[in-house]
Amino acid sequence: MDCFYAACERLREPALEGEPVVVGMGFEAGETTGAVATASYEARAHGVESAQAISSALERLGRHEAGLPDRETSNEKPRGYYRPVDMEFYESVSETVSAVLDDVADTVRAVGIDEAYLDVTERTGWDVVEGFARHVKQRIEADAGVTASIGVAANMSTAKVASDYEKPDGLVVVNPEHTEEFLSDLAIEELHGVGPVTARQLHELDIETAGELASAEERAVTDELGDNGRELMDRARGVDDRVVEPVGKPKSLSSESAFAEPTEDHAQLRDRLEALATALADRAQRKGALYQTIGIKVVTPPFDVQTRERSLSGPVDDPPLVESIAVELLEEFQGETVRKLGVRVSNLSFSEGDQTRLDGWECPSVASTRPGDGLRGLSSSQDDWQSRWRQPTLDEFL
DNA sequence: TCTGGGGTCCTAGGACCC
DNA sequence: TCTGGGGTCCTAGGACCC
């Protein structure tokens, strides 16, 4: 989808059509930290980009204040419309789009909220696929009111590149026999899977385009990039054997948040971590996910990411335990200045049916844990709990 | 580019097992 | 106790993506 969040905002606020629109976190009153999630092309023209700090975005593009008369004159700084992220609304639009995709494709693999791969092998043919794709675009626009860019190719990685090639509202068909030709002049940065690090490594090998990567000496590339290098060379050659499969169940769930001002106040850190843990455990419960590993993420200035995790002897749905383990893992960072915290559950399994609660399995000492309880109390109750879950040893079994 | 939030996959060492 | 070969799981970190 093209500038999906901004397109959604225009859907319910048509006056934003043609105006610079910026959607992001931290745009609401009282918030100071945040970043751009999506900028419309009009906003991008002023240098506003995804992932940009809100302060930088505002420097480039001022903000229309709601309710104030528009006093814009030619010599005034350009202004745009800033809107906070509203995931619920975007998800509802996304569902409408998904319904169209499910209808037109054999298989759909959703990638995030605004992208998908479609296998349409059985629905169309190379001679008529352009018309087919145009039809899909029209149906998306008619049903959901937002535009998509489509790339058609013989495999996933080439189709992805093709879809980015003519954004917005693009439609690019790469016939199988033209794949190499299509890719040859492409900057390596445009290949899916090449980020800043890989791009730098490739530049060091004097490789600038997909065509150069395709014909590079394999040894040189794999020495630098390992297996990933071989993979990227295939992609650059238009070779990709992956099959379009629907996304499965999530493998991990996480919740994180940044502080307006980095802090070393451990009580404040713990409070934030507990709130994150509670929200995360709640989300896992709603999704029917059991977790066997609980971890935290601690980001210290300038941007050092550290993670700690602990695995249990069996999968659980136990919100108080998520909280107590997270807090225990945080102990190690006592005294450190922290700019961002996160909690994660992984090693997920999903119960049949809609099991939302393992009533009767809760360990009483954990259940009775109060906010003021000491950590030692928490960890010993966790040991109790673990002993209930541990697989019997051979001795016990015999 | 001074950096939000939610994910996936890969690597590498260590513990442990047969 | 100067030690093969194959394998799994756990933890921490890193690159990348939307």
Side-chain angles (χ1 to χ4, degrees), chain A residues 37-51:
Chain A
T38 305
S40 73
Y41 283 90
E42 294 82 356
R44 292 181 198 189
H46 295 288
V48 179
E49 300 171 354
S50 287

Side-chain angles (χ1 to χ4, degrees), chain A residues 134-262:
Chain A
R134 198 166 301 286
H135 165 74
V136 173
K137 278 167 66 81
Q138 284 164 357
R139 276 201 57 188
I140 291 171
E141 215 169 331
D143 287 13
V146 288
T147 67
S149 291
I150 295 183
V152 182
N155 57 57
M156 292 173 73
S157 71
T158 311
K160 165 68 178 165
V161 172
S163 76
D164 286 331
Y165 205 74
E166 267 185 11
K167 266 179 166 296
D169 205 16
L171 172 49
V172 174
V173 177
V174 181
N175 278 92
E177 63 269 31
H178 295 141
T179 302
E180 277 185 67
E181 180 189 338
F182 170 72
L183 293 171
S184 63
D185 290 335
L186 197 76
I188 45 154
E189 286 83 0
E190 308 299 317
L191 280 180
H192 199 225
V194 176
V197 176
T198 307
R200 181 172 38 74
Q201 289 171 307
L202 289 171
H203 285 313
E204 274 165 21
L205 295 172
D206 270 335
I207 296 171
E208 314 288 335
T209 65
E212 287 166 8
L213 178 57
S215 58
E217 201 194 327
E218 187 161 323
R219 266 302 296 273
V221 176
T222 54
D223 280 356
E224 187 76 16
L225 298 172
D227 284 349
N228 192 234
R230 216 180 313 271
E231 181 104 15
L232 288 174
M233 288 188 75
D234 278 345
R235 303 273 168 94
R237 290 171 174 147
V239 174
D240 179 3
D241 295 332
R242 287 176 301 163
V243 171
V244 179
E245 283 173 341
V247 286
K249 296 283 191 181
K251 305 228 161 72
S252 69
L253 298 170
S254 64
S255 205
E256 60 184 75
S257 99
F259 291 95
E261 210 55 59

